[in-house]
Each structure stands twice: as C-alpha cells, then as structure tokens.
Amino acid sequence: MKTAILVDGGYYRKIAIKAFDNSDAELCARDLINYCNRHLMYRMGGQKCYAELYRIFYYDCPPLSKQVFHPLYQRSFDFSKSKQYIWMNKFLEELTKKRKVALRLGQLSDYDNHYSLRYETLKKLMNGSITVQDLKESDFVFETRQKGVDMKIGVDITSLAYKKQVDQIVLIAGDSDFVPAAKLARREGIDFILDALGRPIKHDLFEHIDGLRSKDDRLKIKN
C-alpha cells in the first residue's frame, strides 16, 4: 500500500510542537518526520505491516518579515529580527533536507497582520472588570492570514487521486475546508485517513473520511 502524508503545517505547529514540548527547530523537524512515519504501520491478520511512503507534503508559509504596530507599546516591531522568524526559517530549512519531503509554501497576507485582544480579555474590558491601563502583553494575540495553502492541499489531493499515484492519503489537519477534496479522493478509490491530532472534528468532515486516528498519546486533550 503506497501512502502519501499531507501536513497542514500551521495546524501541526499549533498543536503538536506544544504537546511534544520541544522548541529546537532541528529536533521539531525530526519529530514531524517520525510522527508521520508512524502512520505507515498497520496491522493485517494480526501481523504488523508497513505501507510504502510515497512522499510527505508539508504545507505552510514562510515567516513574516515586515514591521507590525503593537497597540500596547505604541510602536512597530520588526518581525525579521524576531526569534519566531529565525526559528521558522531553520525549521523549514531542516525539512528540505529530509528524504521524501516536499514543501508546499503559500504566502502570508501583506495587509491582514495585526495584534488583537484575546476574547477573554475583551470581555473583561467591556464589562469593566479591567481597564486599558491593566492590559499586558499576554492579553494580545498576533493574527495573520495564510494565502494559497488550502488550495495547494486540495490540488495535491486531486492530483494524487486522479493519477492513481497512491492507495492511501493521510491528512494531518482539522479543517472541514478539505471535504470536497476528500470526497473526490474516496470516489477515486483512495483510502482517506484524517489525523486531527487528537482534536474533535466537525460532522461534515467525519462523514467523508475512511478513518480518524492520531499517533501519539501526548496529543490527547487533558481534562
């Protein structure tokens, strides 16, 4: 069984890197490959079997390198000099060195990059339990928007299915935007597995996959 593994990088980084408690870019790249490889093992008739890896496709955006105004400090910060910028470039560089890994990079929006108040902070501010003077850096979250990543995932799923290049697709993501691509792949006879990294998924996504599985107990949501 030939298997392609597609990774929504933004989703993976948000959940898995935190769960695996590893901040080193080189080791995080290694952890990603090791995690993907666990999806190649399966059991048939009580025997342990291994699928053939076609390729790991990793979808993400290069880090932001522009200046963004921070409302708390009333000045702009240069993201090209940030630790996040250095880490992300190193992480992507390490992935390019891995065998059978293909990077599919989109772009971050040039205009929709800003700091916003966290929802809980905004509620406190509006009900008067805190004032503007009480705001701290942790009350803000940086928001940006990716362009082209979802489209690249959908195109690759379609191409893999129509060209009969694989028998199975494992998608590491949690977004129901991939439902049309998943439906197409299944109609073409592809076994379509979703790994939502231990997070619940919407019903419309569950309806159009052949299985839901994660490969590390550390990803489970702690009560």
Side-chain angles (χ1 to χ4, degrees), residues 1-7 32-44 47-57 99-101 166-172 191 193 195 213-215:
M1 183 166 60
K2 187 173 289 188
T3 299
I5 302 175
L6 285 61
V7 184
L32 169 61
I33 303 305
N34 290 339
Y35 182 81
C36 289
N37 284 335
R38 294 178 196 173
H39 276 288
L40 301 177
M41 189 187 75
Y42 64 99
R43 290 190 174 275
M44 181 176 292
Q47 299 294 317
K48 184 184 293 186
C49 304
Y50 290 91
E52 177 186 354
L53 177 63
Y54 175 73
R55 192 161 287 131
I56 296 171
F57 296 88
R99 186 172 181 272
K100 288 196 173 185
V101 174
V166 297
D167 306 298
Q168 181 184 73
I169 292 175
V170 176
L171 175 63
I172 299 177
D191 183 42
I193 304 297
D195 181 351
R213 68 187 184 208
S214 297
K215 288 295 184 176

Side-chain angles (χ1 to χ4, degrees), residues 84-96:
Q84 296 92 330
Y85 180 86
I86 297 171
W87 185 95
M88 189 63 183
N89 276 329
K90 179 64 175 176
F91 178 67
L92 294 176
E93 179 187 354
E94 290 300 321
L95 287 180
T96 62

Side-chain angles (χ1 to χ4, degrees), residues 20-125:
F20 297 158
D21 193 24
N22 196 344
S23 60
D24 182 86
E26 184 176 355
L27 295 180
C28 285
R30 183 201 62 187
D31 288 344
L32 169 61
I33 303 305
N34 290 339
Y35 182 81
C36 289
N37 284 335
R38 294 178 196 173
H39 276 288
L40 301 177
M41 189 187 75
Y42 64 99
R43 290 190 174 275
M44 181 176 292
Q47 299 294 317
K48 184 184 293 186
C49 304
Y50 290 91
E52 177 186 354
L53 177 63
Y54 175 73
R55 192 161 287 131
I56 296 171
F57 296 88
Y58 181 81
Y59 305 84
D60 215 326
C61 291
L64 188 68
S65 59
K66 63 183 297 184
Q67 294 191 359
V68 179
F69 181 78
H70 198 303
L72 179 64
Y73 299 108
Q74 290 294 295
R75 67 183 180 90
S76 295
F77 286 87
D78 187 352
F79 271 68
S80 67
K81 299 178 181 178
S82 66
K83 292 181 178 179
Q84 296 92 330
Y85 180 86
I86 297 171
W87 185 95
M88 189 63 183
N89 276 329
K90 179 64 175 176
F91 178 67
L92 294 176
E93 179 187 354
E94 290 300 321
L95 287 180
T96 62
K97 301 176 184 177
K98 304 299 182 183
R99 186 172 181 272
K100 288 196 173 185
V101 174
L103 263 61
R104 297 283 198 266
L105 299 181
Q107 292 180 325
L108 293 177
S109 171
D110 291 330
Y111 307 104
D112 195 13
N113 305 298
H114 60 274
Y115 286 93
S116 297
L117 284 173
R118 297 185 183 277
Y119 178 67
E120 290 300 323
T121 300
L122 183 60
K123 286 200 303 182
K124 293 178 182 178
L125 191 63

